[in-house]
Amino acid sequence: MKQGEKNKQMNVQKSCKQCGICCTKGGAALHIADRVLLQEGKIPRSDCITLRKGEFAWSPVNDMVEAIQSDIVKLRGTGGEWVCCYFDVLAKNCGIYKNRPVACRTLQCWQPEKSLAMIGKDLLSRQAIVQDEKFLLELIEKYERDLPLPDFSSLLSDLKQNPEETIRILEELMNQDLNFRNKQVQLSAKVAAEEMFLFGRPLFQLLQPFGLSVYQRGNRLCLKLI
Ligand code: SF4
Ligand code: SF4
């Protein structure tokens, strides 16, 4: 839609039409004010996913895909997509309407200023959510210390300049990442249920948008340029 038409539509709209489109564009980011929803079990951690600092994600502020500046804990999507897990697509209902996160309460698509002003501010971190659970807190810290994300901002140029070495390094990181997760998931059912919240998406899933496809050789994951 052209900007002029968008403005015209926004000028006409005065309230929520309950179309649910906003619920299909990526689960809401959680803010500090939402912590109580997790503490009271209104939103289980198994319904959350962490985008780690440095991952590439669409920025509504800059209207482009770019590396995020800090971790973002979000409601997970469904079916491998970014339709919020609480959104009933047929009924166009929110399954946790009374307990929906503050980002959902704030959103008014016809006048988005308040929502835009919230982006990147007062975000709820994984560490704050598990702060009273020493085992999980230490596990997150170990994961970030031992398996930090590669620098995605230079990945395309690294692949262009030195593809074989870059792929070799990424394959090593990708398999270390997977081995760590598999081990922790086998040790704890709680970690298994909350894997995406605790560690975010596995590295092999994050590499595919950079023109890399993943395949298996024996018990190792390998990469090739598409
Ligand atoms: S805020 Fe906008 S996009 Fe979301 S349900 Fe209401 S009208 Fe639809
Ligand atoms: S929590 Fe509810 S309002 Fe918020 S994105 Fe999900 S379905 Fe929509």
Side-chain angles (χ1 to χ4, degrees), residues 48-77:
C48 299
I49 182 169
T50 297
L51 305 189
R52 295 163 72 197
K53 180 181 176 184
E55 275 186 39
F56 270 45
W58 179 70
S59 159
V61 175
N62 298 325
D63 198 15
M64 61 186 284
V65 173
E66 60 186 13
I68 56 173
Q69 300 302 309
S70 62
D71 286 3
I72 301 174
V73 180
K74 296 174 75 101
L75 298 181
R76 67 174 172 81

Side-chain angles (χ1 to χ4, degrees), residues 13 15-23 107-110:
Q13 191 172 343
S15 61
C16 178
K17 298 177 194 301
Q18 302 189 335
C19 65
I21 288 173
C22 53
C23 306
L107 180 65
Q108 295 182 322
C109 66
W110 61 99

Side-chain angles (χ1 to χ4, degrees), residues 78-201:
T78 49
E81 296 180 10
W82 283 108
V83 177
C84 174
C85 63
Y86 292 114
F87 185 56
D88 181 331
V89 178
L90 291 178
K92 295 187 177 170
N93 273 343
C94 170
I96 53 163
Y97 189 75
K98 284 188 183 157
N99 295 303
R100 66 199 190 285
V102 67
C104 306
R105 294 172 186 275
T106 305
L107 180 65
Q108 295 182 322
C109 66
W110 61 99
Q111 45 184 25
E113 295 78 11
K114 279 189 193 165
S115 290
L116 289 172
M118 285 176 74
I119 291 173
K121 300 206 181 81
D122 300 325
L123 290 170
L124 186 57
S125 69
R126 284 175 287 181
Q127 288 85 347
I129 293 169
V130 302
Q131 67 183 11
D132 300 326
E133 295 164 78
K134 193 165 177 271
F135 167 70
L136 292 181
L137 193 56
E138 288 178 357
L139 193 58
I140 292 169
E141 283 167 2
K142 178 173 172 52
Y143 180 61
E144 290 301 327
R145 189 175 60 244
D146 295 352
L147 295 158
L149 286 173
D151 182 359
F152 287 128
S153 55
S154 65
L155 187 51
L156 283 177
S157 63
D158 292 346
L159 282 167
K160 204 170 172 183
Q161 285 166 17
N162 199 352
E164 284 180 12
E165 178 63 2
T166 305
I167 284 178
R168 190 192 64 74
I169 292 168
L170 288 174
E171 283 180 342
E172 192 55 33
L173 291 174
M174 186 175 68
N175 282 288
Q176 285 174 3
D177 180 67
L178 212 54
N179 291 340
F180 177 91
R181 286 164 182 263
N182 287 342
K183 187 174 166 198
Q184 300 305 328
V185 161
Q186 280 166 14
L187 287 172
S188 161
K190 188 177 182 61
V191 171
E194 299 179 1
E195 180 190 344
M196 292 298 157
F197 159 70
L198 294 168
F199 310 132
R201 287 175 291 170

